[in-house]
């Protein structure tokens, strides 16, 4: 093949593959849509940055350069605090061994970094730390909206009040925090609306218990992308935490939280071979580039390891990454499809829409930014680790 056969005016030919592309136009539109919806409901957006893990993305998603924002690792908290974000919630149950690191972030960057917990044991540890350091740690009590994972049952007044009273003896009780994780298993709009209302009701009930006991509860925080999309009423809620909405992925499209043409993330890959008798196109993006997430296998439409798109980001009919090895992707037609297999010679390039933006992003240390269908030349660093 002649040199320059795959040279394109959009600039993608200069990139080594596999690599991560981020469509800034889609990202900005997704943030604007979510913010407008929450503005109508009268609540603050506290974007969760666990998907993006990028200060450049955070500055688009947040209301101001100082926040508010949510993180899921202390590495994220350090990164964003160093970048000027001051209003942060670390939304994973606290381990006592991490309190010194939380305190260091608060001191070094002057960050108002709050933590979450759901047990008296944790509360006692936080109070002991707060007394020892003279820093009354801000805390939200995690409440269980749907039995998905962690949190106090919102009907368990005894435990909620007991935790709140322990915290009042040295720490700073900020309020309650919920995450409707079971919403990720739903697909019908009516069910998603019901999940959003159940999350709201649980949060409001827990806040009422604390306030009824004379305890402070200024913050009532809920959040998941599906419930944020489908909520009709957020009375009693002060803020919504959602994160993957800004980037989107195939799992969220299967839930109904976004459309495929709103997904802002793709993995750029190169064709490196064929198994024509099997109908396979081999690429250089295996599961090390795409992740091993197969979440769509449990949905109505199994997208394999991702949907294969042309260089304009348009999906080829029924063309998916059917299988993946560590550094090889096997691109083929969806089982049962009668669509034509595209003629993609060695050296041709594809863009793969991911199943799970968080997991795929975690395989990479930067975004190559796309706007108006062209590579802009901007490279936005992203971080990983805990």
């Amino acid at each position: 093949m002649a040199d320059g056969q795959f040279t394109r005016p959009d600039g993608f030919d200069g990139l080594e593959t596999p690599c991560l592309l981020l469509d800034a136009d889609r990202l900005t539109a997704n943030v604007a849509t979510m913010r407008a919806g929450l503005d109508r409901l009268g609540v603050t957006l506290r974007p969760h940055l666990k998907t993006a893990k990028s200060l450049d993305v955070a500055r688009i998603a947040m209301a101001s350069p100082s926040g508010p924002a949510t993180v899921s690792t202390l590495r994220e908290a350090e990164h964003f605090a160093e970048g000027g974000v001051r209003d942060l919630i670390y939304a994973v149950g606290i381990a006592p061994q991490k309190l010194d690191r939380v305190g260091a972030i608060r001191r070094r960057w002057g960050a108002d970094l709050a933590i979450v917990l759901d047990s008296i044991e944790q509360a006692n540890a936080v109070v002991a730390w707060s007394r020892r350091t003279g820093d009354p740690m801000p805390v939200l009590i995690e409440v269980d909206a749907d039995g998905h994972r962690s949190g106090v049952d919102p009907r368990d007044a005894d435990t909620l009040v007991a935790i709140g009273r322990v915290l009042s003896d040295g720490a700073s009780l900020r309020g309650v925090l919920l995450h409707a994780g079971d919403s990720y298993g739903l697909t019908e709009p009516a069910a998603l609306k019901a999940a959003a209302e159940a999350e709201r009701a649980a949060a409001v009930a827990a806040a009422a218990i604390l306030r009824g006991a004379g305890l402070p509860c200024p913050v009532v925080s809920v959040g998941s992308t599906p419930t944020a999309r489908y909520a009709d009423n957020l009375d009693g809620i002060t803020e919504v935490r959602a994160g993957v909405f800004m980037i989107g992925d195939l799992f969220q499209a299967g839930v109904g939280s976004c459309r495929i043409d709103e997904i802002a993330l793709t993995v750029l890959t190169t064709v490196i071979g064929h198994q024509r008798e099997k109908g396979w196109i081999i690429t250089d993006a295996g599961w090390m580039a795409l992740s091993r997430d197969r979440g769509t296998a449990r949905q109505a439409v199994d997208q394999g390891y991702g949907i294969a798109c042309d260089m304009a980001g348009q999906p080829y009919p029924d063309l998916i990454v059917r299988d993946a090895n560590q550094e090889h992707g096997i691109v083929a037609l969806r089982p049962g499809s009668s669509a034509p297999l595209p003629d993609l010679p060695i050296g041709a390039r594809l863009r793969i829409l991911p199943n799970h933006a968080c997991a795929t992003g975690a395989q990479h240390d930067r975004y190559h930014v796309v706007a108006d269908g062209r590579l802009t030349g901007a490279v936005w660093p992203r971080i990983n680790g805990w």
Side-chain angles (χ1 to χ4, degrees):
M1 292 183 181
D3 289 344
Q5 178 167 344
F6 298 110
T7 300
R8 302 174 52 87
D10 50 29
F12 292 113
D13 57 290
L15 295 178
E16 294 286 344
T17 59
C19 64
L20 202 59
L21 305 180
L22 183 63
D23 189 315
D25 298 326
R26 292 185 179 186
L27 167 70
T28 302
N30 292 341
V31 171
T33 298
M34 178 63 78
R35 191 173 297 283
L38 296 180
D39 284 348
R40 285 193 298 272
L41 295 173
V43 296
T44 297
L45 172 62
R46 179 185 287 275
H48 205 315
L49 303 178
K50 67 176 182 176
T51 304
K53 293 184 185 283
S54 159
L55 191 58
D56 296 280
V57 176
R59 288 170 176 156
I60 292 171
M62 297 183 305
S64 78
S66 62
T70 313
V71 297
S72 63
T73 70
L74 291 180
R75 176 72 185 96
E76 292 168 25
E78 290 163 344
H79 178 72
F80 293 116
E82 183 177 16
V85 184
R86 297 291 177 260
D87 183 356
L88 290 163
I89 295 176
Y90 171 44
V92 175
I94 192 65
Q97 297 90 336
K98 295 182 179 181
L99 288 170
D100 284 341
R101 191 173 172 193
V102 174
I105 295 167
R106 289 171 54 78
R107 288 191 307 274
R108 180 174 180 182
W109 291 289
D112 182 16
L113 174 59
I115 62 174
V116 305
L117 54 78
D118 65 357
S119 72
I120 292 173
E121 180 182 5
Q122 290 167 303
N124 281 323
V126 170
V127 167
W129 183 92
S130 296
R131 288 176 173 174
R132 176 172 58 82
T133 62
D135 179 7
M137 183 70 72
V139 176
L140 295 102
I141 301 174
E142 186 170 7
V143 176
D144 181 9
D146 52 18
H148 175 72
R149 192 169 55 202
S150 302
V152 180
D153 188 313
R155 300 162 296 185
D156 186 353
D158 290 344
T159 300
L160 284 167
V161 172
I163 292 172
R165 287 184 173 150
V166 170
L167 292 171
S168 67
D169 198 22
S172 174
L173 177 57
R174 285 279 175 87
V176 295
L177 176 147
L178 293 84
H179 173 66
D182 269 9
S183 64
Y184 283 68
L186 306 175
T187 58
E188 294 299 321
L192 287 159
K193 288 179 185 293
E197 174 55 24
E199 180 184 40
R200 186 200 71 82
V204 170
I209 287 170
L210 292 174
R211 291 167 182 157
L215 293 165
C217 190
V219 176
V220 184
S221 181
V222 300
S224 76
T225 286
T227 54
R229 288 284 197 194
Y230 282 90
D232 287 329
N233 170 27
L234 289 174
D235 290 350
I237 303 303
T238 64
E239 65 179 30
V240 167
R241 307 173 329 280
V244 73
F245 76 90
M246 64 183 82
I247 289 175
D249 55 33
L250 294 173
F251 185 88
Q252 291 296 323
V255 171
S257 297
C258 70
R259 301 191 310 268
I260 286 176
D261 63 5
E262 292 173 324
I263 298 172
L265 194 72
T266 50
V267 174
L268 181 67
T269 185
T270 303
V271 174
I272 60 172
H274 301 88
Q275 291 288 344
R276 299 188 189 281
E277 71 281 6
K278 298 178 181 177
W280 290 358
I281 300 165
I282 312 299
T283 73
D284 64 356
W287 54 255
M288 283 293 286
L290 300 172
S291 90
R292 301 197 80 157
D293 192 286
R294 289 281 288 110
T296 62
R298 301 188 299 272
Q299 295 182 326
V301 179
D302 183 353
Q303 306 288 14
Y305 284 84
I307 291 178
C309 302
D310 63 21
M311 289 307 298
Q314 296 299 313
Y316 286 102
D318 285 338
L319 193 65
I320 62 174
V321 183
R322 285 267 298 271
D323 202 354
N325 302 129
Q326 184 165 332
E327 302 295 351
H328 295 75
I330 299 173
V331 176
L333 293 173
R334 194 184 304 280
S337 172
S338 60
L341 187 69
D343 181 15
L344 294 169
I346 290 175
R349 292 193 162 184
L350 297 167
R351 294 170 63 177
I352 309 299
L353 291 167
N355 275 331
H356 185 177
C358 304
T360 297
Q363 311 303 306
H364 302 264
D365 65 359
R366 70 198 70 182
Y367 298 106
H368 296 275
V369 182
V370 177
D372 295 324
R374 300 172 61 88
L375 198 66
T376 67
V379 177
W380 290 353
R382 51 166 289 128
I383 55 104
N384 286 310
W386 291 267

